[in-house]
């Protein structure tokens, strides 16, 4: 039991058997203000979190719902998104919908240089997810439609607020639609989809719309391209200033069992080697009791490696 | 009364940074139908010292006081104080307040004709009498107009002690007629009483100035609005300033309101918008940490009308922390503008032309950059502006006292920055 020692009046009130201090309002048993939220993780028993999420004593933001979110549809699919260690908020967003073995998944990563990128990614993930659920039989076409809808939704944001109009909210997107053993997928930007077979290297299904990828395609040495400060500058995105959105899409019908992985650069930055990525994913799945735990393990891996960016991981096992 | 409060800032701070700045714009739509939610009391204080006889000032002051009386709405309580070596109530009977009706206004106008210039200047005593009269009407919108043409004649320190005692209890707009009064003295009163100060160089312009002040006062619909600022533990408020429509430092006017919160008086409000600059020193956080550096609310008594948050987010991304917020930068510039003008005037008076030229040059540059054309025009009466962009100016050889006093009094007037970040 912790007692608020900060309040001089508390001693008398405690002696009188009061439930909380009349002068500071803290409950005497826990030291947290009466009726207020949980204790502040930054300053401990002295502070408690107000309704707006900030500690009433030290002012630190306790947590936001988006800092860490999970979607658990084990064993069909699982997704985890996390703020990471260095960013102030989670600008990644995800969408996971499962009906039987059918799975729709979207990962979006807000562009930090734009205004309200967290809103952009949330809006895009939801808009795309809704179209994925309702589209036609052509899976790649359905994904293209979903990404276009997401692009429209993000572009619309710039029309609602002058600050957003001045610095267009923007995000990347990677989306996949799994029906049986057929996977339709598509992307804009540098969020990635991988096929991780049970043996051998991971196969990157997407090709980043980024400066580094373009430079490598033009013949620049991959090592020096990725070390360039511009490496991660994306060349295509969703947003009012993105021009017409041209999602690249494809379909995959794997002949063997494996794992579809969608992720933001918060994960793949730490796993650039396809062999290492494959073994890390397989080890996570093998050691974890279920799929959601495996997704958490991958997020924890990125955080242990530095957590420099927001991290989002979606795992969808495929069994032909 | 509908208020909104909005914070403009770059919340991103470099690692180790501890200074958080925000501009808070408070806007009130005024009471519904422009009706006052509180009663109102007006007191007109007219300097009747012997010097007021010069240049037809007394005649103009009478006309101005009459014009002001005629602007007072029905039902508003009012009084007129004749300022001599003591304070004498001219209308209505001593110690009383009249209720404005066509009849009482006519009686007041009649009484104003009896105003005669003979005696001294005792601003502390005048304000004290006004304070006593206002005390009969707690909760009212309380506004006074003080007109003078000279320096205070009370013993040194008396005016200051009066202001210390009654500061902020009512609003007082101060006007100086002619050029024999002291800007710093009237500014001291206006600042303590949350009012404005200005020069009326020509007596014939007094009536218009009084009408304008009284009309503005009649537009106020609520009294005693305050800014409540909560800050986290281990933080200190460096300053709270009104920065638009004019610079007023409110930092020293804080009254504590529970742990970690204080209230700053904003005076009475009508339908209008004002900007405030809040600067808080906090303890530095780690990369990714977000802190609430201040919770700013507009309050009237126990009622909170609007609230906005001033945040601090530490980042190692220099592109984010280096972003300059236009509002903060603009008003930081306007504060410097007021400071360099006042420093320039002081330097010129002390005969230090070199410093004066430097200060006025910087002022011309700041006024030009921020689009403060009114101040730029006032500056050009004191210096020849050769190149505003680089701040190249030359002191004028002959400077009219009235021009320099106008520049001094209006140096704190600011312009608003265009919105939309």
């Amino acid at each position: 039991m912790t007692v608020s020692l900060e309040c001089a009046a508390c001693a008398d009130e405690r002696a009188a058997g009061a439930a909380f201090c009349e002068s500071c309002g803290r409950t005497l048993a826990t030291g947290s203000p009466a009726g207020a939220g949980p204790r502040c993780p930054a300053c401990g028993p002295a502070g408690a979190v107000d309704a707006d999420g900030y500690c009433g004593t030290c002012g630190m933001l306790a947590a936001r719902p988006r800092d860490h979110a999970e979607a658990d549809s084990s064993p069909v699919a699982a997704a985890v998104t996390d703020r990471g260690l260095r960013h102030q908020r989670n600008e990644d967003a995800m969408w996971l919908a499962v009906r039987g073995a059918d799975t729709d998944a979207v990962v979006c990563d807000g562009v930090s240089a734009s205004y309200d990128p967290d809103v952009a990614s949330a809006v895009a993930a939801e808009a795309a997810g809704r179209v994925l659920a309702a589209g036609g039989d052509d899976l790649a076409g359905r994904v293209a439609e979903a990404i276009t809808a997401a692009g429209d939704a993000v572009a619309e944001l710039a029309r609602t607020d002058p600050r957003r109009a001045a610095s267009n909210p923007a995000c990347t997107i990677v989306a996949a639609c799994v029906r049986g053993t057929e996977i339709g997928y598509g992307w804009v930007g540098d969020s990635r989809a991988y096929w991780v077979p049970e043996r051998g290297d991971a196969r990157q299904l997407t090709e980043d719309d980024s400066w580094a990828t373009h430079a490598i395609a033009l013949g620049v040495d991959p090592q020096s391209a990725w070390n360039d400060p511009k490496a991660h500058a994306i060349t295509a995105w969703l947003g009012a200033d993105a021009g017409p959105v041209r999602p690249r899409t494809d379909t995959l019908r794997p002949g063997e069992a494996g794992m579809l992985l969608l992720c933001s650069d918060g994960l793949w930055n730490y796993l650039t080697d396809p062999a290492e990525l494959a073994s890390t994913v397989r080890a996570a799945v093998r050691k974890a009791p279920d799929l959601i735990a495996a997704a958490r393990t991958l997020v924890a891996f990125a955080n242990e490696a530095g957590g420099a960016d927001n991290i989002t991981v979606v795992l969808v096992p495929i069994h032909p | 009364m509908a208020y909104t409060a909005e914070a403009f800032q770059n919340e991103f701070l470099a690692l180790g940074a501890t200074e958080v700045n925000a501009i808070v714009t408070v806007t009130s739509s005024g009471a519904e139908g422009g009706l006052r939610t509180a009663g109102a009391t007006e007191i007109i204080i007219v300097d009747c010292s012997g010097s007021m006889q010069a240049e037809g000032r007394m005649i103009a002051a009478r006309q101005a006081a009459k014009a002001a009386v005629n602007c007072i709405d029905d039902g508003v309580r009012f009084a007129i104080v004749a300022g001599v070596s003591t304070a004498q109530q001219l209308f209505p009977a001593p110690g009383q307040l009249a209720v404005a009706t066509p009849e009482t206004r006519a009686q007041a106008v009649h009484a104003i004709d009896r105003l005669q210039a003979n005696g001294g200047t005792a601003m502390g005593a005048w304000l004290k009498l006004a304070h006593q009269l206002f005390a009969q009407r707690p909760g009212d919108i309380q506004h006074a107009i003080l007109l003078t043409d000279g320096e205070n004649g009370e013993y040194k320190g008396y005016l200051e002690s009066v202001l210390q005692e009654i500061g902020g209890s009512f609003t007082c707009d101060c006007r100086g007629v002619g050029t024999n009064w002291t800007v710093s003295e009237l500014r001291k009163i206006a600042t303590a009483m949350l009012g404005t100060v200005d020069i009326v160089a020509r007596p014939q312009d007094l009536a218009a100035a009084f009408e304008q002040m009284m009309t503005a006062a009649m537009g106020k619909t609520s009294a005693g609005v305050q800014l409540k600022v909560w800050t986290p533990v281990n933080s200190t408020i460096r300053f709270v300033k009104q920065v638009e429509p004019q610079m007023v430092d409110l930092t020293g006017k804080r009254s504590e309101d529970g742990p970690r919160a204080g209230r700053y008086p904003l005076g009475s409000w009508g339908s209008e918008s004002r900007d405030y600059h809040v600067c808080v020193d906090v303890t530095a956080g780690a990369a990714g940490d977000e802190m609430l550096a201040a919770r700013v609310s507009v309050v009237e008594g126990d009622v909170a009308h609007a609230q906005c948050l001033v945040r601090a987010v530490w980042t190692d991304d220099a592109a984010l922390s280096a972003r300059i917020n236009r509002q903060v930068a603009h008003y930081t510039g306007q504060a410097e503008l007021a400071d360099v003008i006042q420093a320039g005037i002081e330097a010129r008076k002390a005969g230090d032309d070199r410093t004066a030229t430097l200060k006025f040059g910087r002022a011309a540059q700041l006024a030009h950059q921020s689009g403060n054309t009114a101040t730029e025009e006032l500056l050009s009466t004191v210096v020849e502006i050769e190149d505003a962009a680089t701040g190249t100016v030359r002191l004028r050889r002959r400077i009219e006292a009235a021009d320099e006093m106008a520049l001094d009094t209006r140096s704190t007037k600011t312009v608003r920055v265009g919105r939309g970040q």
Side-chain angles (χ1 to χ4, degrees):
Chain A
M1 189 167 93
T2 318
V3 172
S4 172
L5 300 172
E6 213 190 49
C7 170
C10 287
D12 298 339
E13 299 287 329
R14 275 199 305 277
F20 45 85
C21 170
E22 297 228 323
S23 74
C24 74
R26 292 203 172 89
T27 55
L28 294 175
T30 64
S32 56
R39 259 188 239 169
C40 170
C43 69
V49 179
D50 286 339
D52 54 14
Y54 297 94
C55 171
T57 302
C58 72
M60 296 307 286
L61 182 70
R64 284 187 243 249
R66 273 179 77 174
D67 282 354
H68 183 93
E70 300 186 349
D72 182 10
S73 297
S74 306
V76 178
V80 175
T81 184
D82 192 90
R83 182 169 71 105
L85 301 178
R86 307 290 284 176
H87 279 215
Q88 142 259 2
R89 63 181 170 195
N90 190 358
E91 294 167 357
D92 281 5
M94 63 184 192
W95 172 277
L96 183 66
V98 172
R99 286 164 305 278
D102 293 355
T103 305
D104 302 330
V106 184
V107 171
C108 293
D109 179 356
V111 176
S112 294
S114 70
Y115 192 81
D116 283 352
D118 53 329
V119 179
S121 60
V123 160
E126 189 182 338
R130 290 188 186 284
V131 174
L132 286 179
D137 286 339
D138 165 22
L139 295 189
R142 195 190 280 208
V143 170
E145 222 179 288
I147 293 176
T148 307
D152 291 344
V154 175
E156 183 61 30
L157 290 175
R159 283 189 268 279
T160 56
D161 182 312
R163 275 167 289 186
R164 287 178 181 167
S167 177
N168 298 292
C171 67
T172 69
I173 188 166
V174 58
C177 195
V178 182
R179 298 290 180 269
T181 55
E182 190 178 344
I183 305 166
Y185 63 91
W187 74 99
V188 172
D190 66 352
S191 294
R192 290 181 178 177
Y194 286 94
W195 173 247
V196 184
E198 294 202 316
R199 270 174 295 279
D201 290 358
R203 203 174 116 208
Q204 189 183 332
L205 303 175
T206 54
E207 187 189 54
D208 298 346
D209 295 307
S210 73
W211 181 89
T213 308
H214 281 259
I216 293 163
L218 291 170
V220 175
D221 167 52
Q223 187 84 35
S224 60
W226 282 112
N227 285 334
D228 194 282
K230 299 190 287 293
H232 284 260
I234 55 172
T235 54
W237 59 89
L238 304 183
D241 56 347
V245 172
R246 292 194 188 81
R248 288 192 273 173
T249 59
D250 209 341
T251 313
L252 180 73
R253 288 183 195 81
E256 50 176 344
M259 185 73 76
L260 173 69
L261 165 70
L262 304 189
C263 64
S264 61
D265 57 353
L267 177 70
W268 67 249
N269 264 331
Y270 297 114
L271 289 168
T272 46
D273 174 40
E276 199 189 339
L277 183 135
S279 61
T280 307
V281 171
R282 282 194 291 259
V285 173
R286 195 170 57 243
K287 285 179 195 155
D290 56 9
L291 205 55
I292 189 74
R296 275 185 217 130
T297 307
L298 291 172
V299 167
F301 168 85
N303 274 328
E304 275 154 28
D309 204 346
N310 307 138
I311 308 145
T312 305
V313 174
V314 181
L315 293 175
V316 187
I318 309 286
H319 313 281
Chain B
M1 196 91 157
Y3 289 88
T4 58
E6 196 178 0
F8 296 87
Q9 63 167 153
N10 175 16
E11 63 272 34
F12 294 105
L13 299 180
L15 298 182
T18 57
E19 184 186 330
V20 184
N21 285 283
I23 300 299
V24 175
T25 297
V26 178
T27 304
S28 165
S29 62
E32 213 171 315
L35 292 175
R36 273 177 222 109
T37 53
T41 302
E42 285 290 335
I43 295 177
I44 302 167
I45 307 168
V46 181
D47 183 346
C48 295
S49 59
S51 58
M52 283 292 286
Q53 255 164 357
E55 296 165 14
R57 282 180 208 151
M58 204 62 238
I59 299 164
R62 282 193 210 109
Q63 282 168 351
K66 288 180 198 172
V69 163
N70 284 322
C71 292
I72 299 176
D73 291 345
D74 281 355
V76 171
R77 282 170 173 74
F78 74 104
I80 299 161
V81 172
V84 284
S85 308
T86 57
Q88 294 175 1
Q89 194 171 344
L90 180 75
F91 183 85
Q96 311 217 331
L97 291 166
V99 179
T101 61
E103 294 74 41
T104 54
R105 278 194 294 265
Q107 288 163 11
V109 165
H110 195 68
I112 289 167
D113 282 326
R114 297 203 313 268
L115 272 178
Q116 290 298 332
N118 56 1
T121 307
M123 296 180 198
W126 307 346
L127 291 167
K128 233 177 157 165
L129 174 58
H131 177 68
Q132 283 161 11
L133 290 170
F134 280 129
Q136 300 173 20
R137 302 285 305 166
D140 266 17
I141 298 166
Q142 301 178 339
H143 175 249
I145 295 174
L146 187 155
L147 175 72
T148 186
D149 75 332
E151 282 183 39
N152 195 26
E154 290 164 320
Y155 69 83
K156 202 166 179 297
Y158 182 69
L159 177 60
E160 286 75 7
S161 72
V162 171
L163 292 177
Q164 187 74 35
E165 185 191 328
I166 67 168
S169 64
F170 59 92
T171 309
C172 185
D173 287 324
C174 305
R175 292 297 177 267
V177 63
T179 55
N180 294 327
W181 55 283
T182 318
V183 176
S184 59
E185 196 166 75
L186 280 202
R187 180 177 287 137
K188 201 185 299 164
I189 298 174
T191 306
M193 307 309 296
L194 296 169
T196 61
V197 57
D198 204 354
I199 179 172
V200 183
R202 304 185 311 164
Q204 60 265 41
D205 296 333
L206 267 181
F210 269 53
E211 251 177 44
Q212 184 259 326
M213 272 186 284
M214 192 57 82
T215 311
M218 290 296 111
K220 303 297 180 192
T221 48
S222 62
V225 182
Q226 293 170 315
L227 202 66
K228 181 173 172 176
V229 182
W230 174 94
T231 46
V233 72
N234 297 329
S235 66
T236 46
I237 294 193
R238 195 179 289 191
F239 59 76
V240 175
K241 282 180 195 165
Q242 178 183 294
V243 291
E244 204 274 345
Q246 60 175 359
M247 289 285 162
V248 186
D249 196 339
L250 302 174
T251 317
K253 300 186 198 297
R254 177 185 173 105
S255 55
E256 296 300 323
D257 182 15
R260 293 182 280 281
R263 289 174 178 235
Y264 300 85
L266 306 187
S268 52
W269 277 65
S271 170
E272 60 190 297
S273 181
R274 303 182 203 169
D275 290 345
Y276 298 90
H277 187 165
V278 178
C279 181
V280 188
D281 285 307
V282 297
T283 40
D289 278 356
E290 174 168 344
M291 179 193 273
L292 183 63
R295 191 185 280 119
V296 181
S297 355
V298 181
V299 296
E300 248 183 301
D302 292 334
V303 185
H305 289 297
Q307 181 183 288
C308 64
L309 305 180
V310 176
R311 302 181 304 139
V313 178
W314 284 271
T315 178
D316 47 12
D317 184 349
L320 291 176
S321 57
R323 274 185 196 166
I324 290 170
N325 179 273
R326 274 178 58 201
Q327 273 82 6
V328 173
H330 173 79
Y331 287 123
T332 305
Q334 297 287 294
E336 190 194 345
L337 176 59
D339 288 346
V340 290
I341 287 175
Q342 286 166 29
I345 288 172
E346 263 171 48
R348 204 192 69 84
K349 279 186 187 149
D352 182 355
D353 285 359
R354 199 171 157 272
T355 305
T357 308
L358 278 173
K359 297 287 181 189
F360 286 135
R362 175 68 181 143
Q365 197 178 23
L366 286 164
H368 182 73
Q369 280 166 2
S370 61
N372 194 336
T373 47
T375 299
E376 204 178 345
E377 275 167 30
L378 288 168
L379 265 171
S380 68
T381 63
V382 176
V383 290
E384 277 177 59
I385 302 174
E386 287 178 3
D387 183 5
T390 58
T392 314
V393 300
R394 256 185 311 142
L395 277 185
R396 287 186 187 276
R397 212 163 289 152
R398 282 181 49 85
I399 297 172
E400 296 292 331
D403 286 337
E404 189 170 65
M405 287 169 84
L407 175 63
D408 195 351
T409 54
R410 294 176 197 161
S411 60
T412 54
K413 287 284 288 176
T414 57
V415 291
R416 187 161 259 187
V417 65
R419 281 290 139 82
Q421 243 162 338

